[in-house]
Amino acid sequence: PTMFVNRCQDGWEFRDGIPQVPDYAIESVADEIKRVVERLSSVLGVSISDEDMMTSLFNVLEYFQYWAEIGLLMKNDPMPFSQIDMALLHYLAVICVQEWQELYEACRILYEELKERVAKGEGPLKKGTPKVICPVVSISDPGILKLIEELGIGPCVCELQMFCPTGGVKIDIG
């Protein structure tokens, strides 16, 4: 069966000058997730408890800490790796991961190696390459982004990286 999740994207409310996702939007998405979990539980014949959901949520949030720190390294000149490589980290956020501790360790190692590249001034593109915001990297053809890099343009951030924890837009590509 096909399930659709309706997301409420009506914009932001400002509380004390800080953009926030409206409470009704959070409640709406939570209700949609509950509906999907109930349907999946029924179709698959398994029970997905609130505890299971919270464990998964916390795993993803811990992963996002690594993802964000690695993404911030892309502000350096030269960038320590390609946005094509960063896309692999984006996709990990939406696929089923069972060995979270191994993923965290891999991200920690990657982060340390990228920091070394930053310290040495190494990267796939030359220092001074103009930086741009790019759309989400195509899963079916990352060669499009490779072409952009070969033209001497550095896609350093994609739309998935443009939001801060409060949900507000945070464009800071260095």
Side-chain angles (χ1 to χ4, degrees):
T2 301
M3 296 289 305
F4 295 95
V5 176
N6 294 319
R7 294 180 16 199
C8 183
Q9 297 180 333
D10 291 346
W12 315 103
E13 290 178 349
F14 286 85
R15 298 182 200 141
D16 299 322
I18 299 172
Q20 301 286 321
V21 176
D23 290 339
Y24 70 86
I26 293 170
E27 291 169 15
S28 174
V29 171
D31 288 343
E32 284 290 292
I33 291 171
K34 287 177 188 174
R35 183 181 60 80
V36 170
V37 167
E38 288 172 8
R39 179 73 173 129
L40 284 172
S41 294
S42 171
V43 169
L44 298 174
V46 297
S47 175
I48 302 171
S49 69
D50 288 346
E51 184 179 324
D52 293 334
M53 290 289 293
M54 290 308 291
T55 298
S56 293
L57 177 62
F58 283 118
N59 284 333
V60 170
L61 291 175
E62 186 170 344
Y63 171 72
F64 276 141
Q65 290 178 351
Y66 288 104
W67 174 82
E69 290 299 320
I70 292 168
L72 288 173
L73 291 176
M74 298 296 279
K75 292 171 54 174
N76 289 281
D77 187 17
M79 297 177 296
F81 73 153
S82 171
Q83 191 62 231
I84 296 168
D85 301 319
M86 186 69 190
L88 297 174
L89 297 176
H90 303 322
Y91 304 142
L92 278 170
V94 296
I95 65 171
C96 186
V97 174
Q98 293 182 357
E99 302 299 331
W100 285 100
Q101 295 307 317
E102 290 179 16
L103 177 60
Y104 302 151
E105 180 62 10
C107 287
R108 186 195 63 73
I109 292 168
L110 176 61
Y111 179 67
E112 293 302 322
E113 290 180 0
L114 291 174
K115 284 194 324 187
E116 288 177 19
R117 293 187 89 181
V118 167
K120 293 176 183 175
E122 296 176 350
L125 301 173
K126 293 187 290 188
K127 184 172 179 66
T129 297
K131 295 179 180 180
V132 297
I133 297 172
C134 68
V136 176
V137 179
S138 170
I139 295 172
S140 62
D141 189 4
I144 295 168
L145 198 56
K146 186 69 177 160
L147 174 65
I148 293 170
E149 290 177 341
E150 288 171 357
L151 292 171
I153 300 170
C156 62
V157 65
C158 80
E159 60 195 49
L160 295 173
Q161 296 165 275
M162 293 172 34
F163 298 93
C164 63
T166 61
V169 176
K170 180 180 181 182
I171 300 175
D172 181 7
I173 61 175

